[in-house]
Amino acid sequence: MSVQDFELLETRELDELNSTGRIYRHATGARVVSIANPQDENKVFGITFRTPPTDSTGLPHILEHSVLCGSRKFPVKEPFVELLKGSLKTFLNAFTYPDKTCYPVASQSQQDFYNLVDVYLDAVFHPRLTPEVLKQEGWHYEVDEEGTLSYKGVVFNEMKGANSSPERVMAEHCQQVLFPETTYGVDSGGHPQAIPDLTWEQFESFHQDYYHPSNAWIWFYGDDPEDRRLEILDEYLSEFDTRSADSSVALQSRWSEPKTIEETYSVSEQDVDDDGGKCMVAVNWLLGEAADYETRLGLQILDYILIGTSASPLRKALIDSGLGEDLTGGGMETELREIFFSVGLKGVAQEDEKRVEALVIETLESLARDGIDQETIRASLNTVEFRLRENNTGSYPRGLILMLRSLSRWLYDEDPFVPLTFEKPLADVKALGESDTGYFEGLIRDHLLGNSHRATVFLRPDAEHAAREEETERQRLAGVVAHEQLHRLELARDEAAAPPPFKPLHVPLLP
Ligand SMILES: [Zn+2]
């Protein structure tokens, strides 16, 4: 064992969590946060890689599926399924985000926990990646009985399904439109039209570059002995050298003028005829990094003030307007490097689209001008405070929620403990919010109304949308068939010319 390969960078008492947190750096560059909480037996481990995609082929998502298809120590095809059957786990999953891929496990049994950690470490660092795995999990050609060629694949099919949901299509447009210059401007899950562009070479090198200790953020939490955590990690990490693959996430440059985009989503002819009110409208702002935690917390509370409950003023104004059926837009998104805010309505008639956009802005203007009701502010502060403190995290283990919260800053090389130690900034925001200084009104002015990096997305139903996408796909497949036929003709010609048997294919013809 060489636990000395870990340098202890910092130890901090995390009073909010009744825990002690330690930050380590392994000789390979791997970052480790180890949280000892003697009161929580629900132990959590997670390994996260920063995996910013440069296109919408879904590479990070397909890789996430693929590493769970067998590894060096566990060559069975589906160790995942076997684990699910045999383990005492309280959580076991993997998530692809727009810029990271997380592999978390949790268990209350120590032995089971370390088994799961072992399986996950082996899976991410030594997966049995082959072109066949890429075909199965990503995409491949299939020929039916009539001889028609089509695309298939686990992620290809999954994303076809996902893209038939107007909500998902809307959410992707809202994010992508704000970040045209960064990794957030592409679809990390994969767009069905882009997935077949992914090659084996890209797939293999993405794993080599990014699934490396130098690009890993590793998290331990719970009541298990910390030495054992480092031992099991070192078994894997010590096989690697240091490496410097650049996975940093760029900042989006700011616009001086707001934008508008018009997009369509797929509906059946029938649905378009039923009623015209199926448009979606969302107004989106890029708020930037807001690196100080107090402002981040302030913005999260502002989100709750504006749209958190049915009585929240922005939600109420939108619903009561009768312009649409329900809210759309995800509110304040704080899990990426830069924060953005997205709000609007779905079920809108096309002639009312502009009125929705105007209503969002007018409502914010009147809140900034006339002030937000103090009772709404107080109730929102209490709710957010309760949520930060509560131990009930639904079906998710507490240590996992804390890991995701920590990663919201840690992944961008900031202090992993800041998002976990909320008492001081929360007290500051409460004092500001409850004073009569117009703190939240100021946030609306500075971050939303006075912010020209704004984009409105109009998403309209279109019965031709699916047909257009199918036609593009059909033409692409026809191109594949034509290419294949040409290739066969070339082979036949070359054979007819009786070349030497060792002659490689596609030798350029010399004059
Ligand atoms: Zn998936």
Side-chain angles (χ1 to χ4, degrees), residues 61 64-65 96 154-155 158-159:
H61 182 194
E64 177 225 304
H65 278 246
T96 305
V154 174
V155 169
E158 183 188 322
M159 296 317 293

Side-chain angles (χ1 to χ4, degrees), residues 66-320:
S66 300
V67 303
L68 300 169
C69 286
S71 63
R72 187 169 70 180
K73 256 193 207 170
F74 306 94
V76 282
K77 199 169 166 224
E78 295 280 1
F80 211 55
V81 176
E82 295 301 315
L83 270 172
L84 280 171
K85 283 190 217 147
S87 163
L88 301 164
K89 67 181 177 5
T90 51
F91 193 87
L92 178 92
N93 211 332
F95 315 120
T96 305
Y97 283 75
D99 58 9
K100 63 180 182 265
T101 312
C102 304
Y103 296 87
V105 296
S107 180
Q108 296 184 336
S109 145
Q110 193 160 308
Q111 190 48 50
D112 187 50
F113 178 63
Y114 288 124
N115 282 342
L116 293 171
V117 172
D118 191 40
V119 173
Y120 259 37
L121 284 171
D122 203 59
V124 297
F125 287 125
H126 306 291
R128 291 189 171 264
L129 295 183
T130 62
E132 275 55 51
V133 169
L134 171 60
K135 283 179 187 162
Q136 175 191 302
E137 300 300 322
W139 72 275
H140 58 270
Y141 297 114
E142 222 163 89
V143 186
D144 68 11
E145 283 165 1
E146 279 107 57
T148 311
L149 199 62
S150 65
Y151 294 116
K152 290 274 158 31
V154 174
V155 169
F156 180 84
N157 295 352
E158 183 188 322
M159 296 317 293
K160 271 222 157 169
N163 274 286
S164 65
S165 148
E167 274 76 20
R168 200 227 174 230
V169 171
M170 186 64 172
E172 278 298 323
H173 284 308
C174 289
Q175 178 194 309
Q176 290 179 25
V177 69
L178 289 174
F179 295 97
E181 296 161 6
T182 82
T183 193
Y184 304 139
V186 300
D187 186 345
S188 62
H191 192 283
Q193 296 205 315
I195 291 171
D197 290 335
L198 179 61
T199 66
W200 163 249
E201 288 72 24
Q202 290 168 326
F203 185 68
E204 196 183 25
S205 71
F206 195 87
H207 180 264
Q208 274 169 11
D209 289 342
Y210 291 153
Y211 279 49
H212 186 281
S214 308
N215 191 46
W217 281 255
I218 300 165
W219 171 271
F220 276 99
Y221 167 91
D223 66 354
D224 57 307
E226 285 191 271
D227 278 359
R228 182 73 193 104
R229 297 174 176 178
L230 299 186
E231 275 171 32
I232 192 168
L233 270 184
D234 192 65
E235 276 171 38
Y236 283 94
L237 302 183
S238 60
E239 286 185 57
F240 292 86
D241 296 326
T242 324
R243 185 190 269 227
S244 59
D246 182 13
S247 65
S248 59
V249 175
L251 294 172
Q252 168 65 41
S253 61
R254 299 325 255 327
W255 305 337
S256 51
E257 291 291 328
K259 290 184 186 177
T260 294
I261 60 161
E262 299 172 23
E263 295 286 346
T264 59
Y265 70 92
S266 171
V267 284
S268 66
E269 199 85 52
Q270 178 79 32
D271 281 351
V272 172
D273 291 345
D274 278 354
D275 70 82
K278 287 209 159 43
C279 297
M280 299 172 91
V281 181
V283 189
N284 310 281
W285 282 269
L286 175 63
L287 281 66
E289 281 204 284
D292 70 294
Y293 194 64
E294 184 187 293
T295 307
R296 296 181 72 85
L297 204 52
L299 290 169
Q300 279 169 287
I301 297 166
L302 178 65
D303 179 51
Y304 195 82
I305 290 173
L306 294 174
I307 56 173
T309 71
S310 56
S312 300
L314 183 55
R315 175 183 290 270
K316 194 163 163 21
L318 285 165
I319 298 291
D320 290 355

Side-chain angles (χ1 to χ4, degrees), residues 261-384:
I261 60 161
E262 299 172 23
E263 295 286 346
T264 59
Y265 70 92
S266 171
V267 284
S268 66
E269 199 85 52
Q270 178 79 32
D271 281 351
V272 172
D273 291 345
D274 278 354
D275 70 82
K278 287 209 159 43
C279 297
M280 299 172 91
V281 181
V283 189
N284 310 281
W285 282 269
L286 175 63
L287 281 66
E289 281 204 284
D292 70 294
Y293 194 64
E294 184 187 293
T295 307
R296 296 181 72 85
L297 204 52
L299 290 169
Q300 279 169 287
I301 297 166
L302 178 65
D303 179 51
Y304 195 82
I305 290 173
L306 294 174
I307 56 173
T309 71
S310 56
S312 300
L314 183 55
R315 175 183 290 270
K316 194 163 163 21
L318 285 165
I319 298 291
D320 290 355
S321 72
L323 293 171
E325 289 160 9
D326 203 355
L327 249 59
T328 186
M332 202 68 75
E333 170 56 70
T334 57
E335 279 198 287
L336 307 181
R337 180 165 182 195
E338 297 192 78
I339 298 174
F340 68 94
F341 182 67
S342 176
V343 70
L345 275 176
K346 61 181 173 185
V348 177
Q350 196 169 333
E351 64 266 26
D352 290 333
E353 281 179 337
K354 290 273 184 197
R355 293 175 64 195
V356 175
E357 181 187 34
L359 180 60
V360 169
I361 292 166
E362 282 159 19
T363 307
L364 292 171
E365 279 169 351
S366 82
L367 288 168
R369 186 182 57 236
D370 306 332
I372 303 162
D373 172 49
Q374 270 303 319
E375 205 35 59
T376 305
I377 292 180
R378 212 165 298 134
S380 302
L381 283 165
N382 288 340
T383 303
V384 173

